[in-house]
Amino acid sequence: MSQNQLQRGLKARHLTMIAIGGSIGTGLFLASGGSIHEAGPGGALVAYIAISIMVYFLMTSLGEMAAFMPVSGSFSTYATKFVDPSLGFALGWNYWYNWAITIAVELSAAALIMKYWFPDTPAILWSTLFLCLMVALNLLSVKSYGESEYWFALIKVMTVIVFIVIGVLMIFGIMGGEAVGFQNFTKGDAPFNGGFMALLGVFMIAGFSFQGTELVGVAAGESEDPARNIPKAIRQIFWRILLFYIFAILIIGLLVPYDNPNLISGDITDIAISPFTIVFEKAGFAFAASVMNAVILTSVLSAGNSGMYASTRMLWTLAKEGKAPKWFAKVTRNGVPVNALIMTAAIGALAFLSSLFGDGEVYVWLLNASGMSGFIAWLGIAVSHYRFRKAYLAQGRDLRDLPYRAKLFPFGPIFAFIICCIVIIGQNYSAFIGGEIDWNGVFVSYIGLPLFLIVWLVYKYTKKSKLVPLNKVDLSMDEK
Protein backbone atom coordinates (compact mmCIF):
# COMPACT_ATOMS: atom_id res chain seq x y z
CA MET A 1 0.00 0.00 0.00
CA SER A 2 1.37 3.37 -1.10
CA GLN A 3 2.14 5.80 1.68
CA ASN A 4 -0.42 8.35 0.48
CA GLN A 5 -3.25 6.14 -0.72
CA LEU A 6 -6.74 5.52 0.61
CA GLN A 7 -8.01 1.96 1.12
CA ARG A 8 -10.91 0.29 -0.68
CA GLY A 9 -12.89 -0.81 2.37
CA LEU A 10 -16.48 0.12 1.45
CA LYS A 11 -18.82 -2.70 0.42
CA ALA A 12 -21.92 -2.38 -1.82
CA ARG A 13 -24.26 -2.18 1.21
CA HIS A 14 -22.16 0.68 2.64
CA LEU A 15 -22.37 2.64 -0.64
CA THR A 16 -26.14 2.23 -0.90
CA MET A 17 -26.75 3.31 2.70
CA ILE A 18 -24.30 6.25 2.44
CA ALA A 19 -26.34 7.66 -0.46
CA ILE A 20 -29.74 6.89 1.09
CA GLY A 21 -28.63 8.14 4.50
CA GLY A 22 -27.32 11.29 2.86
CA SER A 23 -30.76 12.21 1.53
CA ILE A 24 -33.09 11.04 4.33
CA GLY A 25 -32.85 13.42 7.23
CA THR A 26 -34.42 16.50 8.76
CA GLY A 27 -35.68 17.52 5.29
CA LEU A 28 -38.06 14.56 5.33
CA PHE A 29 -38.70 14.24 9.08
CA LEU A 30 -39.25 17.97 9.77
CA ALA A 31 -39.42 20.20 6.65
CA SER A 32 -41.86 17.97 4.71
CA GLY A 33 -44.73 19.25 6.88
CA GLY A 34 -43.95 22.85 5.93
CA SER A 35 -43.89 21.87 2.23
CA ILE A 36 -47.38 20.37 2.46
CA HIS A 37 -48.66 23.39 4.41
CA GLU A 38 -47.24 25.80 1.83
CA ALA A 39 -48.18 24.15 -1.49
CA GLY A 40 -50.80 21.61 -0.42
CA PRO A 41 -50.30 17.82 -0.59
CA GLY A 42 -50.49 17.79 -4.41
CA GLY A 43 -48.07 20.70 -4.79
CA ALA A 44 -45.55 19.08 -2.41
CA LEU A 45 -45.77 15.78 -4.35
CA VAL A 46 -45.23 17.49 -7.73
CA ALA A 47 -42.20 19.42 -6.40
CA TYR A 48 -40.59 16.35 -4.81
CA ILE A 49 -41.24 14.16 -7.89
CA ALA A 50 -39.64 16.79 -10.18
CA ILE A 51 -36.56 17.07 -7.95
CA SER A 52 -36.44 13.24 -7.69
CA ILE A 53 -36.23 12.98 -11.49
CA MET A 54 -33.40 15.54 -11.55
CA VAL A 55 -31.57 13.63 -8.78
CA TYR A 56 -32.01 10.39 -10.76
CA PHE A 57 -30.26 11.90 -13.79
CA LEU A 58 -27.52 13.39 -11.60
CA MET A 59 -26.95 10.02 -9.93
CA THR A 60 -26.75 8.17 -13.25
CA SER A 61 -24.34 10.82 -14.57
CA LEU A 62 -22.18 10.49 -11.46
CA GLY A 63 -22.51 6.69 -11.60
CA GLU A 64 -21.19 6.53 -15.17
CA MET A 65 -18.10 8.59 -14.29
CA ALA A 66 -17.52 6.99 -10.86
CA ALA A 67 -17.76 3.40 -12.15
CA PHE A 68 -15.28 4.26 -14.94
CA MET A 69 -12.97 6.41 -12.78
CA PRO A 70 -13.52 5.77 -9.04
CA VAL A 71 -11.68 8.58 -7.23
CA SER A 72 -12.36 10.18 -3.85
CA GLY A 73 -12.17 13.68 -5.31
CA SER A 74 -15.11 12.78 -7.52
CA PHE A 75 -16.62 15.91 -9.13
CA SER A 76 -13.55 18.06 -8.40
CA THR A 77 -11.32 15.56 -10.23
CA TYR A 78 -13.88 15.05 -13.03
CA ALA A 79 -14.25 18.80 -13.61
CA THR A 80 -10.43 19.17 -13.65
CA LYS A 81 -9.97 16.36 -16.19
CA PHE A 82 -13.07 16.74 -18.37
CA VAL A 83 -13.78 20.51 -18.29
CA ASP A 84 -11.17 22.93 -16.91
CA PRO A 85 -8.73 22.69 -13.94
CA SER A 86 -10.05 26.02 -12.61
CA LEU A 87 -13.60 24.60 -12.37
CA GLY A 88 -12.23 21.52 -10.56
CA PHE A 89 -10.37 23.77 -8.11
CA ALA A 90 -13.47 25.87 -7.36
CA LEU A 91 -15.79 22.86 -7.07
CA GLY A 92 -13.39 21.07 -4.70
CA TRP A 93 -13.00 23.99 -2.30
CA ASN A 94 -16.73 24.78 -2.57
CA TYR A 95 -17.66 21.22 -1.59
CA TRP A 96 -15.11 21.03 1.21
CA TYR A 97 -16.35 24.29 2.70
CA ASN A 98 -19.99 23.23 2.36
CA TRP A 99 -19.53 20.03 4.37
CA ALA A 100 -17.15 21.58 6.92
CA ILE A 101 -19.87 24.16 7.73
CA THR A 102 -22.51 21.41 7.74
CA ILE A 103 -20.58 19.77 10.61
CA ALA A 104 -21.14 22.98 12.65
CA VAL A 105 -24.86 22.98 11.77
CA GLU A 106 -25.25 19.36 12.88
CA LEU A 107 -23.32 19.98 16.13
CA SER A 108 -25.74 22.83 16.95
CA ALA A 109 -28.74 20.67 16.05
CA ALA A 110 -27.53 17.68 18.10
CA ALA A 111 -27.10 19.89 21.18
CA LEU A 112 -30.66 21.24 20.77
CA ILE A 113 -32.05 17.71 20.43
CA MET A 114 -30.30 16.57 23.62
CA LYS A 115 -31.99 19.48 25.45
CA TYR A 116 -35.26 17.56 24.98
CA TRP A 117 -34.04 14.91 27.45
CA PHE A 118 -31.50 16.98 29.40
CA PRO A 119 -32.83 20.57 29.48
CA ASP A 120 -30.31 21.85 32.06
CA THR A 121 -27.09 20.67 30.41
CA PRO A 122 -24.87 23.14 28.46
CA ALA A 123 -25.05 22.85 24.65
CA ILE A 124 -21.26 22.91 24.26
CA LEU A 125 -20.93 19.68 26.29
CA TRP A 126 -23.04 17.66 23.82
CA SER A 127 -21.52 19.32 20.77
CA THR A 128 -17.97 18.54 21.98
CA LEU A 129 -18.97 14.95 22.71
CA PHE A 130 -20.51 14.47 19.26
CA LEU A 131 -17.58 16.14 17.50
CA CYS A 132 -15.20 13.69 19.25
CA LEU A 133 -17.45 10.79 18.19
CA MET A 134 -17.44 11.91 14.53
CA VAL A 135 -13.65 12.37 14.52
CA ALA A 136 -13.14 8.94 16.17
CA LEU A 137 -15.38 7.14 13.63
CA ASN A 138 -13.52 8.76 10.74
CA LEU A 139 -10.06 8.28 12.31
CA LEU A 140 -10.27 4.49 12.72
CA SER A 141 -10.65 3.51 9.06
CA VAL A 142 -12.94 4.00 6.08
CA LYS A 143 -14.63 0.73 7.06
CA SER A 144 -15.58 2.12 10.49
CA TYR A 145 -17.09 5.18 8.79
CA GLY A 146 -18.99 2.95 6.33
CA GLU A 147 -20.24 0.66 9.09
CA SER A 148 -21.38 3.52 11.37
CA GLU A 149 -23.12 5.21 8.43
CA TYR A 150 -24.80 1.93 7.48
CA TRP A 151 -26.42 1.62 10.93
CA PHE A 152 -27.27 5.33 11.19
CA ALA A 153 -28.99 5.12 7.79
CA LEU A 154 -30.71 1.84 8.62
CA ILE A 155 -32.45 3.45 11.63
CA LYS A 156 -33.81 6.19 9.36
CA VAL A 157 -34.87 3.71 6.67
CA MET A 158 -36.68 1.49 9.18
CA THR A 159 -38.47 4.54 10.65
CA VAL A 160 -39.75 5.57 7.20
CA ILE A 161 -40.86 2.00 6.37
CA VAL A 162 -42.74 1.68 9.69
CA PHE A 163 -44.28 5.13 9.07
CA ILE A 164 -45.47 4.12 5.58
CA VAL A 165 -46.97 0.83 6.82
CA ILE A 166 -48.77 2.48 9.78
CA GLY A 167 -49.91 5.34 7.54
CA VAL A 168 -51.49 2.98 5.00
CA LEU A 169 -53.27 1.08 7.82
CA MET A 170 -54.62 4.39 9.18
CA ILE A 171 -55.81 5.62 5.75
CA PHE A 172 -57.97 2.50 5.42
CA GLY A 173 -59.16 2.58 9.03
CA ILE A 174 -57.38 -0.63 10.11
CA MET A 175 -55.55 1.37 12.77
CA GLY A 176 -56.12 4.63 14.69
CA GLY A 177 -59.92 4.93 14.32
CA GLU A 178 -62.08 5.42 11.23
CA ALA A 179 -60.77 5.44 7.66
CA VAL A 180 -59.45 8.84 6.57
CA GLY A 181 -59.44 8.05 2.86
CA PHE A 182 -58.78 10.99 0.53
CA GLN A 183 -60.79 13.67 2.39
CA ASN A 184 -57.70 15.64 3.55
CA PHE A 185 -56.18 15.49 0.07
CA THR A 186 -59.07 17.48 -1.42
CA LYS A 187 -59.97 19.66 1.59
CA GLY A 188 -60.27 23.44 1.00
CA ASP A 189 -57.72 24.59 -1.61
CA ALA A 190 -56.03 21.18 -1.64
CA PRO A 191 -54.44 19.35 -3.36
CA PHE A 192 -52.77 22.51 -4.74
CA ASN A 193 -52.50 25.49 -2.42
CA GLY A 194 -50.83 28.88 -2.97
CA GLY A 195 -50.41 28.61 -6.75
CA PHE A 196 -47.17 28.53 -8.75
CA MET A 197 -45.08 30.63 -6.36
CA ALA A 198 -45.81 28.28 -3.45
CA LEU A 199 -44.83 25.36 -5.70
CA LEU A 200 -41.55 27.11 -6.57
CA GLY A 201 -40.84 27.65 -2.86
CA VAL A 202 -41.31 23.93 -2.14
CA PHE A 203 -39.09 23.17 -5.13
CA MET A 204 -36.22 24.83 -3.23
CA ILE A 205 -36.97 22.91 -0.02
CA ALA A 206 -37.09 19.63 -1.97
CA GLY A 207 -33.72 20.40 -3.56
CA PHE A 208 -32.11 20.88 -0.14
CA SER A 209 -33.76 17.68 1.15
CA PHE A 210 -32.04 15.54 -1.50
CA GLN A 211 -28.57 16.97 -0.97
CA GLY A 212 -26.15 14.28 0.17
CA THR A 213 -27.07 11.69 -2.47
CA GLU A 214 -23.86 12.65 -4.31
CA LEU A 215 -21.81 11.24 -1.42
CA VAL A 216 -21.71 7.93 -3.26
CA GLY A 217 -19.39 9.62 -5.79
CA VAL A 218 -16.97 10.70 -3.05
CA ALA A 219 -17.10 7.21 -1.51
CA ALA A 220 -16.40 5.57 -4.91
CA GLY A 221 -12.64 5.96 -4.48
CA GLU A 222 -12.70 3.71 -1.41
CA SER A 223 -15.21 1.09 -2.53
CA GLU A 224 -14.47 -2.56 -3.21
CA ASP A 225 -14.95 -3.47 -6.90
CA PRO A 226 -16.33 -0.03 -7.92
CA ALA A 227 -17.17 -1.14 -11.49
CA ARG A 228 -19.77 -3.55 -10.02
CA ASN A 229 -20.77 -1.94 -6.73
CA ILE A 230 -21.34 1.66 -7.89
CA PRO A 231 -23.86 0.77 -10.64
CA LYS A 232 -25.60 -1.52 -8.14
CA ALA A 233 -25.85 1.28 -5.57
CA ILE A 234 -27.00 3.84 -8.16
CA ARG A 235 -29.79 1.55 -9.40
CA GLN A 236 -31.08 1.02 -5.86
CA ILE A 237 -30.75 4.61 -4.66
CA PHE A 238 -33.29 6.25 -6.95
CA TRP A 239 -36.14 3.83 -6.40
CA ARG A 240 -35.62 3.72 -2.65
CA ILE A 241 -35.44 7.50 -2.28
CA LEU A 242 -38.49 7.89 -4.51
CA LEU A 243 -40.35 5.28 -2.48
CA PHE A 244 -39.41 6.82 0.87
CA TYR A 245 -40.00 10.47 -0.01
CA ILE A 246 -43.03 10.23 -2.29
CA PHE A 247 -44.88 7.67 -0.14
CA ALA A 248 -44.08 9.51 3.10
CA ILE A 249 -45.30 12.87 1.71
CA LEU A 250 -48.41 11.23 0.22
CA ILE A 251 -49.24 9.65 3.59
CA ILE A 252 -48.68 12.91 5.53
CA GLY A 253 -50.90 14.72 2.98
CA LEU A 254 -53.66 12.11 3.39
CA LEU A 255 -53.55 11.92 7.19
CA VAL A 256 -52.80 15.52 8.22
CA PRO A 257 -54.82 18.42 6.70
CA TYR A 258 -52.51 20.88 4.89
CA ASP A 259 -53.96 23.74 6.98
CA ASN A 260 -53.01 22.08 10.29
CA PRO A 261 -51.02 24.86 12.05
CA ASN A 262 -48.57 22.27 13.47
CA LEU A 263 -47.20 21.66 9.96
CA ILE A 264 -45.81 25.20 9.73
CA SER A 265 -42.81 24.41 11.93
CA GLY A 266 -39.86 22.61 10.46
CA ASP A 267 -37.57 23.42 13.35
CA ILE A 268 -35.40 20.98 15.27
CA THR A 269 -36.80 22.31 18.55
CA ASP A 270 -40.35 21.33 17.56
CA ILE A 271 -39.95 17.57 17.11
CA ALA A 272 -43.18 17.10 19.12
CA ILE A 273 -45.07 18.56 16.14
CA SER A 274 -43.04 16.97 13.34
CA PRO A 275 -45.46 15.42 10.79
CA PHE A 276 -44.04 11.98 11.65
CA THR A 277 -44.73 12.53 15.37
CA ILE A 278 -48.29 13.77 14.61
CA VAL A 279 -49.08 10.62 12.58
CA PHE A 280 -47.51 8.23 15.13
CA GLU A 281 -49.48 9.91 17.94
CA LYS A 282 -52.71 9.63 15.91
CA ALA A 283 -51.97 5.92 15.59
CA GLY A 284 -51.86 5.71 19.41
CA PHE A 285 -48.11 5.63 20.12
CA ALA A 286 -47.64 7.46 23.43
CA PHE A 287 -43.84 7.77 23.14
CA ALA A 288 -43.86 9.00 19.51
CA ALA A 289 -42.15 12.34 20.27
CA SER A 290 -39.34 10.71 22.23
CA VAL A 291 -38.79 8.03 19.56
CA MET A 292 -38.75 10.61 16.74
CA ASN A 293 -36.33 12.72 18.80
CA ALA A 294 -33.94 9.75 18.92
CA VAL A 295 -34.39 9.07 15.18
CA ILE A 296 -33.72 12.71 14.29
CA LEU A 297 -30.63 12.64 16.54
CA THR A 298 -29.26 9.71 14.49
CA SER A 299 -30.08 11.71 11.32
CA VAL A 300 -28.12 14.69 12.57
CA LEU A 301 -25.13 12.55 13.66
CA SER A 302 -25.24 10.72 10.32
CA ALA A 303 -25.14 14.03 8.42
CA GLY A 304 -22.23 15.27 10.56
CA ASN A 305 -20.40 11.96 10.16
CA SER A 306 -20.84 12.07 6.37
CA GLY A 307 -19.83 15.72 6.28
CA MET A 308 -16.61 14.90 8.10
CA TYR A 309 -15.90 12.05 5.67
CA ALA A 310 -16.75 13.94 2.45
CA SER A 311 -14.86 17.15 3.29
CA THR A 312 -11.80 15.21 4.50
CA ARG A 313 -11.63 13.23 1.23
CA MET A 314 -12.12 16.35 -0.86
CA LEU A 315 -9.31 18.21 0.95
CA TRP A 316 -7.04 15.16 0.54
CA THR A 317 -7.74 15.11 -3.22
CA LEU A 318 -7.11 18.84 -3.58
CA ALA A 319 -3.76 18.33 -1.82
CA LYS A 320 -2.85 15.39 -4.07
CA GLU A 321 -3.65 17.44 -7.17
CA GLY A 322 -1.54 20.38 -5.94
CA LYS A 323 -4.60 22.58 -5.25
CA ALA A 324 -4.11 22.57 -1.47
CA PRO A 325 -0.97 22.32 0.73
CA LYS A 326 0.73 18.90 0.32
CA TRP A 327 0.55 18.44 4.09
CA PHE A 328 -3.14 17.49 3.72
CA ALA A 329 -2.26 14.53 1.49
CA LYS A 330 -0.73 12.57 4.41
CA VAL A 331 -2.48 9.24 5.06
CA THR A 332 -2.27 6.92 8.11
CA ARG A 333 -1.53 3.19 7.90
CA ASN A 334 -5.30 2.62 7.94
CA GLY A 335 -5.74 4.80 4.85
CA VAL A 336 -7.20 7.84 6.67
CA PRO A 337 -6.15 11.37 5.55
CA VAL A 338 -5.36 12.44 9.11
CA ASN A 339 -4.23 16.04 8.52
CA ALA A 340 -7.21 16.76 6.28
CA LEU A 341 -9.46 15.28 8.99
CA ILE A 342 -7.93 17.48 11.73
CA MET A 343 -8.30 20.62 9.57
CA THR A 344 -11.92 19.82 8.71
CA ALA A 345 -12.82 19.08 12.34
CA ALA A 346 -11.14 22.34 13.43
CA ILE A 347 -13.11 24.43 10.89
CA GLY A 348 -16.37 22.70 11.91
CA ALA A 349 -15.62 23.36 15.59
CA LEU A 350 -14.68 27.02 14.99
CA ALA A 351 -17.84 27.60 12.95
CA PHE A 352 -19.88 26.04 15.76
CA LEU A 353 -18.15 28.23 18.37
CA SER A 354 -19.00 31.32 16.29
CA SER A 355 -22.69 30.50 16.87
CA LEU A 356 -22.18 30.81 20.65
CA PHE A 357 -20.53 34.24 20.73
CA GLY A 358 -22.39 37.52 20.40
CA ASP A 359 -25.61 37.16 18.46
CA GLY A 360 -24.19 34.44 16.19
CA GLU A 361 -23.94 36.80 13.19
CA VAL A 362 -20.66 35.27 11.93
CA TYR A 363 -22.27 31.83 12.05
CA VAL A 364 -25.28 33.06 10.01
CA TRP A 365 -22.94 34.47 7.34
CA LEU A 366 -20.97 31.21 7.21
CA LEU A 367 -24.24 29.32 6.71
CA ASN A 368 -25.45 31.71 4.02
CA ALA A 369 -22.16 31.37 2.15
CA SER A 370 -22.60 27.57 2.04
CA GLY A 371 -26.32 27.66 1.15
CA MET A 372 -25.84 27.12 -2.59
CA SER A 373 -22.78 24.87 -2.40
CA GLY A 374 -24.68 21.61 -2.88
CA PHE A 375 -26.46 22.87 -6.00
CA ILE A 376 -23.19 24.19 -7.42
CA ALA A 377 -21.68 20.70 -6.93
CA TRP A 378 -24.67 19.21 -8.75
CA LEU A 379 -24.18 21.65 -11.64
CA GLY A 380 -20.54 20.52 -11.77
CA ILE A 381 -21.63 16.86 -12.03
CA ALA A 382 -23.99 17.61 -14.95
CA VAL A 383 -21.39 19.63 -16.89
CA SER A 384 -18.60 17.09 -16.21
CA HIS A 385 -20.71 14.15 -17.38
CA TYR A 386 -21.73 15.91 -20.60
CA ARG A 387 -18.07 16.62 -21.39
CA PHE A 388 -16.94 13.14 -20.30
CA ARG A 389 -19.31 11.35 -22.69
CA LYS A 390 -18.44 13.71 -25.57
CA ALA A 391 -14.70 13.18 -24.95
CA TYR A 392 -15.15 9.41 -24.64
CA LEU A 393 -16.74 9.25 -28.11
CA ALA A 394 -14.39 11.87 -29.61
CA GLN A 395 -11.44 9.65 -28.69
CA GLY A 396 -13.01 6.72 -30.58
CA ARG A 397 -13.97 4.62 -27.56
CA ASP A 398 -16.90 2.19 -27.48
CA LEU A 399 -19.76 2.99 -25.08
CA ARG A 400 -20.26 -0.76 -24.54
CA ASP A 401 -16.93 -0.81 -22.67
CA LEU A 402 -18.26 1.49 -19.92
CA PRO A 403 -18.93 -0.40 -16.64
CA TYR A 404 -22.18 1.60 -16.30
CA ARG A 405 -23.92 3.76 -18.89
CA ALA A 406 -26.32 6.59 -17.96
CA LYS A 407 -29.61 6.44 -19.85
CA LEU A 408 -31.10 9.21 -22.01
CA PHE A 409 -27.86 11.06 -22.75
CA PRO A 410 -27.63 14.02 -23.46
CA PHE A 411 -31.13 14.77 -22.09
CA GLY A 412 -30.19 13.65 -18.53
CA PRO A 413 -27.30 16.04 -17.75
CA ILE A 414 -28.95 18.91 -19.69
CA PHE A 415 -32.24 18.48 -17.78
CA ALA A 416 -30.37 18.29 -14.44
CA PHE A 417 -28.35 21.40 -15.38
CA ILE A 418 -31.50 23.44 -16.22
CA ILE A 419 -33.38 22.40 -13.05
CA CYS A 420 -30.29 23.17 -10.91
CA CYS A 421 -30.06 26.64 -12.49
CA ILE A 422 -33.77 27.27 -11.77
CA VAL A 423 -33.28 26.23 -8.13
CA ILE A 424 -30.16 28.42 -7.75
CA ILE A 425 -31.76 31.50 -9.38
CA GLY A 426 -35.00 31.00 -7.44
CA GLN A 427 -33.27 30.69 -4.04
CA ASN A 428 -34.97 33.83 -2.77
CA TYR A 429 -37.45 34.74 -5.51
CA SER A 430 -39.66 36.47 -2.91
CA ALA A 431 -36.99 39.19 -2.50
CA PHE A 432 -37.74 40.35 -6.09
CA ILE A 433 -41.53 40.43 -5.88
CA GLY A 434 -43.93 42.73 -4.06
CA GLY A 435 -42.76 46.14 -5.26
CA GLU A 436 -39.42 47.04 -3.69
CA ILE A 437 -36.47 44.63 -4.01
CA ASP A 438 -35.21 43.33 -0.68
CA TRP A 439 -31.47 43.84 -1.34
CA ASN A 440 -30.44 42.49 2.04
CA GLY A 441 -32.42 39.29 1.35
CA VAL A 442 -30.83 39.02 -2.10
CA PHE A 443 -27.30 39.47 -0.69
CA VAL A 444 -27.85 36.96 2.13
CA SER A 445 -29.36 34.30 -0.18
CA TYR A 446 -27.01 34.60 -3.14
CA ILE A 447 -23.65 35.32 -1.45
CA GLY A 448 -22.44 31.74 -2.17
CA LEU A 449 -22.63 32.25 -5.94
CA PRO A 450 -20.22 35.22 -6.32
CA LEU A 451 -17.84 33.59 -3.81
CA PHE A 452 -17.71 30.45 -5.99
CA LEU A 453 -17.24 32.49 -9.17
CA ILE A 454 -14.42 34.56 -7.58
CA VAL A 455 -12.51 31.40 -6.55
CA TRP A 456 -13.02 29.90 -10.03
CA LEU A 457 -11.98 33.02 -11.98
CA VAL A 458 -9.01 33.94 -9.76
CA TYR A 459 -7.55 30.42 -10.23
CA LYS A 460 -8.29 30.58 -13.98
CA TYR A 461 -6.57 33.96 -14.29
CA THR A 462 -3.51 33.15 -12.14
CA LYS A 463 -2.92 29.65 -13.56
CA LYS A 464 -4.01 30.55 -17.13
CA SER A 465 -6.09 27.36 -17.25
CA LYS A 466 -8.19 26.66 -20.34
CA LEU A 467 -11.08 24.44 -21.38
CA VAL A 468 -9.62 21.00 -22.10
CA PRO A 469 -10.17 20.02 -25.79
CA LEU A 470 -12.27 16.84 -26.10
CA ASN A 471 -9.48 14.91 -27.86
CA LYS A 472 -7.02 15.89 -25.08
CA VAL A 473 -9.25 14.92 -22.14
CA ASP A 474 -7.35 12.52 -19.85
CA LEU A 475 -9.44 9.33 -19.56
CA SER A 476 -6.71 7.35 -17.81
CA MET A 477 -6.93 6.24 -14.18
CA ASP A 478 -3.71 7.59 -12.70
CA GLU A 479 -3.56 7.11 -8.91
CA LYS A 480 -0.36 8.92 -8.06
Side-chain angles (χ1 to χ4, degrees):
M1 178 62 63
S2 166
Q3 189 59 41
N4 65 340
Q5 284 304 324
L6 305 178
Q7 294 182 2
R8 296 194 179 275
L10 295 175
K11 294 180 165 56
R13 66 185 177 91
H14 293 141
L15 282 182
T16 306
M17 283 302 196
I18 284 166
I20 292 172
S23 63
I24 297 176
T26 51
L28 178 60
F29 294 133
L30 295 170
S32 55
S35 301
I36 291 164
H37 183 85
E38 196 177 325
L45 273 176
V46 167
Y48 275 86
I49 287 169
I51 293 288
S52 294
I53 293 166
M54 179 196 75
V55 169
Y56 169 73
F57 285 124
L58 277 170
M59 286 298 96
T60 55
S61 287
L62 185 56
E64 180 171 299
M65 295 185 291
F68 177 79
M69 190 180 287
V71 289
S72 287
S74 197
F75 11 98
S76 169
T77 302
Y78 301 148
T80 296
K81 287 193 169 199
F82 311 148
V83 188
D84 183 329
S86 60
L87 180 62
F89 177 84
L91 279 173
W93 281 107
N94 165 77
Y95 199 69
W96 173 78
Y97 173 78
N98 177 35
W99 277 110
I101 296 303
T102 299
I103 294 166
V105 177
E106 307 308 342
L107 290 175
S108 298
L112 284 172
I113 293 167
M114 293 307 291
K115 291 269 186 190
Y116 179 89
W117 292 300
F118 307 100
D120 299 323
T121 52
I124 197 158
L125 170 74
W126 296 112
S127 299
T128 305
L129 190 69
F130 292 134
L131 179 65
C132 291
L133 176 67
M134 290 172 200
V135 171
L137 288 171
N138 277 273
L139 196 56
L140 291 172
S141 68
V142 70
K143 201 169 180 183
S144 69
Y145 159 72
E147 205 58 44
S148 61
E149 198 48 38
Y150 177 83
W151 291 105
F152 278 147
L154 194 61
I155 291 166
K156 294 188 277 189
V157 167
M158 293 310 294
T159 304
V160 179
I161 291 170
V162 169
F163 176 80
I164 290 169
V165 171
I166 289 170
V168 170
L169 294 175
M170 288 172 73
I171 289 162
F172 294 105
I174 300 165
M175 200 175 174
E178 61 181 83
V180 178
F182 283 82
Q183 63 188 36
N184 288 327
F185 210 80
T186 52
K187 179 188 177 186
D189 290 335
F192 296 96
N193 175 50
F196 176 74
M197 296 317 276
L199 188 68
L200 186 64
V202 173
F203 214 61
M204 309 298 148
I205 297 166
F208 278 105
S209 297
F210 284 111
Q211 287 193 4
T213 44
E214 76 288 335
L215 282 166
V216 72
V218 180
E222 292 173 275
S223 68
E224 293 176 352
D225 194 1
R228 187 174 68 88
N229 287 342
I230 291 167
K232 189 177 171 185
I234 294 288
R235 278 190 287 267
Q236 290 174 352
I237 290 160
F238 175 70
W239 296 110
R240 291 184 186 184
I241 289 173
L242 191 67
L243 179 83
F244 295 148
Y245 265 93
I246 304 309
F247 269 93
I249 285 169
L250 177 62
I251 283 162
I252 295 165
L254 288 169
L255 291 175
V256 186
Y258 78 94
D259 54 1
N260 183 324
N262 286 340
L263 290 182
I264 301 170
S265 177
D267 196 83
I268 208 108
T269 56
D270 293 315
I271 285 158
I273 52 174
S274 135
F276 275 63
T277 309
I278 294 167
V279 170
F280 282 139
E281 282 176 347
K282 273 191 176 185
F285 293 102
F287 300 107
S290 206
V291 169
M292 280 312 299
N293 207 60
V295 169
I296 291 166
L297 178 63
T298 64
S299 281
V300 162
L301 293 178
S302 164
N305 195 33
S306 291
M308 191 78 78
Y309 171 80
S311 46
T312 298
R313 268 44 183 191
M314 192 57 79
L315 187 54
W316 174 82
T317 299
L318 287 166
K320 272 198 78 182
E321 293 177 353
K323 293 172 181 156
K326 279 285 176 206
W327 186 69
F328 294 123
K330 186 181 182 226
V331 170
T332 66
R333 245 180 299 176
N334 292 337
V336 175
V338 62
N339 292 340
L341 177 62
I342 291 164
M343 179 64 174
T344 300
I347 294 297
L350 286 171
F352 168 73
L353 287 173
S354 71
S355 71
L356 302 177
F357 293 106
D359 53 6
E361 214 168 300
V362 175
Y363 181 62
V364 171
W365 277 105
L366 289 172
L367 277 185
N368 290 335
S370 73
M372 280 192 191
S373 299
F375 296 109
I376 291 169
W378 284 0
L379 272 179
I381 292 169
V383 172
S384 298
H385 178 232
Y386 183 83
R387 292 269 307 168
F388 165 72
R389 181 72 80 89
K390 291 283 187 188
Y392 195 85
L393 291 172
Q395 294 184 22
R397 299 197 180 208
D398 192 336
L399 290 177
R400 286 172 297 188
D401 295 336
L402 287 170
Y404 173 75
R405 198 185 333 167
K407 294 177 179 67
L408 298 181
F409 182 90
F411 173 78
I414 292 171
F415 175 79
F417 181 86
I418 291 167
I419 297 292
C420 265
C421 285
I422 291 169
V423 174
I424 286 173
I425 294 163
Q427 281 296 299
N428 190 5
Y429 63 90
S430 58
F432 298 98
I433 55 177
E436 212 173 307
I437 294 174
D438 174 13
W439 288 110
N440 185 54
V442 169
F443 192 64
V444 162
S445 303
Y446 296 93
I447 183 70
L449 201 54
L451 286 176
F452 171 78
L453 292 172
I454 289 165
V455 173
W456 179 10
L457 296 173
V458 165
Y459 186 90
K460 191 171 181 62
Y461 177 75
T462 54
K463 299 290 182 180
K464 306 284 187 286
S465 72
K466 290 184 171 61
L467 185 73
V468 183
L470 293 176
N471 61 344
K472 297 269 178 66
V473 163
D474 180 9
L475 296 174
S476 65
M477 258 299 293
D478 56 334
E479 290 220 56
K480 298 187 189 86

